[in-house]
Amino acid sequence: MSSKNYDVIIVGGGVMGCATAYYLLKFDSTLKVAIIEKDPTYEFASTPLSDGNMRIQFNIKENIQMSQYGMEVMKTFADEFEVDGVKPDAAFRQQGNLFVLDEHSKDESYEGYLLQKSLGCDVEWLTPEEVGKYYPLYNLKDCVAGTFGPKDGTMSPMGVLNGYKKKVIQLGAEYIHAEVNQVLKEGNQIVGVKLSDGEMLHSKIVMNAAGAWAKHIAERVGASIPVEPTKRQVTIVEANVHPQKVLPALFLPSGLYVIHEGEGMFMIGKCFADDYVGTDDFVWERKMFE
Ligand SMILES: Cc1cc2nc3c(=O)[nH]c(=O)nc-3n(C[C@H](O)[C@H](O)[C@H](O)COP(=O)(O)OP(=O)(O)OC[C@H]3O[C@@H](n4cnc5c(N)ncnc54)[C@H](O)[C@@H]3O)c2cc1C
């Protein structure tokens, strides 16, 4: 079997793997970087299945700062990731995110609001009447307040992934269609990976960007990481109402969220305490919709 050497091997070619390769090569264009992806169609990867919503409305400083950075990236994405005259379309639109608050969620959200403000975020604290102004379809029963981030928005996760992927290939990263089934170690030092066809790739740095499968990769070197792949379900519904402009994405105290996609199309989702944990269940369930 042949053997190849790299400065960095990235396991997983989803948005995290491809973006990491990009920022490594931006930092040092001489690096030899390999991205290994077991399924270039990304059928079960999280990235293309994601809602693509981006917001500064978090209660943790680091999350807010990551979103602030992401929003800066979106501003110049098409130009920065142009390859051979073709600009990627991230389809980023800033329709705003509206959080509806009840008595139970109000205080924690107010703390988050103050933190967001202290970090320079554009966010508003709303009365129930103002919530109704932003989202005329919403029944205001139990609503005691709301927060609105006018710059929050939604992008095409596949558009963003394709932008990073094409750019890193142009910059010299090797995108390899293969499955990593072993991470190689000598003593305490990582030395590379073994692919399912037996080929060995060598590097002292192996990055685990395997998403929902990251725990399995870590286990191969005896490491335990707190990644629990939890089933989520998103449903697109078509309603009779056809608002003239795109409404803000709506986040309700129950955990239900509603992202208006234009005209009568709405994308909805919710998580439940007993959501399935594992990487082998992709079946749509009526009970998760109701
Ligand atoms: C339904 C849903 C909605 C979401 N909505 C949002 C949202 O609105 N906003 C937001 O910010 N985030 C959202 N997310 C989360 C977001 O999608 C993920 O955080 C992000 O896509 C993770 O990217 P990733 O590259 O880590 O994982 P992935 O995209 O899953 O990529 C991991 C890749 O690793 C590959 N891989 C795994 N094991 C191996 C191996 N052994 N060898 C080679 N390749 C391997 C897989 O094939 C996969 O392509 C959502 C996720 C889901 C599922």
Side-chain angles (χ1 to χ4, degrees):
M1 285 290 161
S2 65
S3 134
K4 292 181 183 160
N5 296 302
Y6 297 91
D7 295 306
V8 183
I9 291 173
I10 298 172
V11 183
V15 75
M16 295 307 292
C18 289
T20 304
Y22 174 70
Y23 293 107
L24 282 171
L25 289 164
K26 193 173 170 183
F27 172 71
D28 181 351
S29 61
T30 66
L31 288 173
K32 208 169 165 221
V33 177
I35 301 169
I36 305 165
E37 172 52 56
K38 67 177 176 178
D39 174 19
T41 71
Y42 297 108
E43 184 179 3
F44 300 114
S46 296
T47 304
L49 297 173
S50 157
D51 296 318
N53 189 265
M54 194 194 285
R55 59 182 152 106
I56 47 78
Q57 294 188 75
F58 283 108
N59 277 38
I60 297 174
K61 184 179 164 193
E62 289 76 9
N63 278 349
I64 298 169
Q65 289 173 325
M66 279 192 278
S67 294
Q68 286 176 311
Y69 179 75
M71 283 177 189
E72 285 304 307
V73 172
M74 281 297 109
K75 281 185 191 163
T76 54
F77 192 79
D79 291 332
E80 187 171 349
F81 292 88
E82 178 176 339
V83 173
D84 298 333
V86 180
K87 296 186 183 203
D89 184 8
F92 185 48
R93 54 156 212 247
Q94 289 171 294
Q95 79 278 359
N97 278 2
L98 175 64
F99 281 76
V100 174
L101 309 175
D102 61 7
E103 204 51 65
H104 183 68
S105 54
K106 191 180 78 175
D107 291 347
E108 193 182 347
S109 294
Y110 192 67
E111 277 173 31
Y113 163 77
L114 293 178
L115 178 64
Q116 292 147 27
K117 277 290 199 199
S118 74
L119 293 168
C121 298
D122 198 351
V123 59
E124 299 164 22
W125 185 262
L126 306 177
T127 62
E129 294 68 37
E130 288 166 327
V131 170
K133 194 181 81 195
Y134 279 117
Y135 216 96
L137 305 176
Y138 184 63
N139 173 355
L140 289 167
K141 183 176 163 294
D142 295 334
C143 168
V144 297
T147 57
F148 182 62
K151 294 198 175 132
D152 291 346
T154 306
M155 98 292 283
S156 155
M158 203 57 204
V160 173
L161 168 55
N162 277 331
Y164 277 111
K165 181 178 162 185
K166 287 187 177 155
K167 194 68 182 180
V168 291
I169 292 170
Q170 186 198 45
L171 293 175
E174 266 183 68
Y175 182 92
I176 300 168
H177 176 193
E179 179 165 0
V180 168
N181 65 5
Q182 258 186 56
V183 180
L184 307 170
K185 257 171 81 175
E186 280 174 14
N188 277 336
Q189 175 65 54
I190 298 278
V191 291
V193 297
K194 187 172 180 187
L195 307 181
S196 48
D197 66 0
E199 186 175 10
M200 314 261 210
L201 306 180
H202 296 285
S203 175
K204 288 192 170 160
I205 302 176
V206 173
M207 181 192 163
N208 184 354
W213 299 267
K215 193 173 184 163
H216 304 318
I217 295 292
E219 279 165 0
R220 286 169 202 170
V221 283
S224 165
I225 55 172
V227 173
E228 297 296 338
T230 307
K231 180 171 177 176
R232 293 284 183 255
Q233 181 170 296
V234 175
T235 305
I236 309 281
V237 294
E238 186 169 11
N240 285 334
V241 285
H242 286 224
Q244 285 185 340
K245 67 178 182 73
V246 176
L247 295 172
L250 182 71
F251 295 80
L252 301 179
S254 64
L256 181 80
Y257 61 85
V258 182
I259 301 179
H260 182 211
E261 292 291 329
E263 304 204 339
M265 304 302 278
F266 293 83
M267 179 158 67
I268 59 173
K270 185 179 176 187
C271 36
F272 299 87
D274 63 347
D275 280 346
Y276 178 76
V277 176
T279 50
D280 56 349
D281 179 359
F282 283 83
V283 179
W284 191 86
E285 282 180 77
R286 185 159 192 101
K287 90 172 168 66
M288 291 177 82
F289 170 63
E290 290 167 345

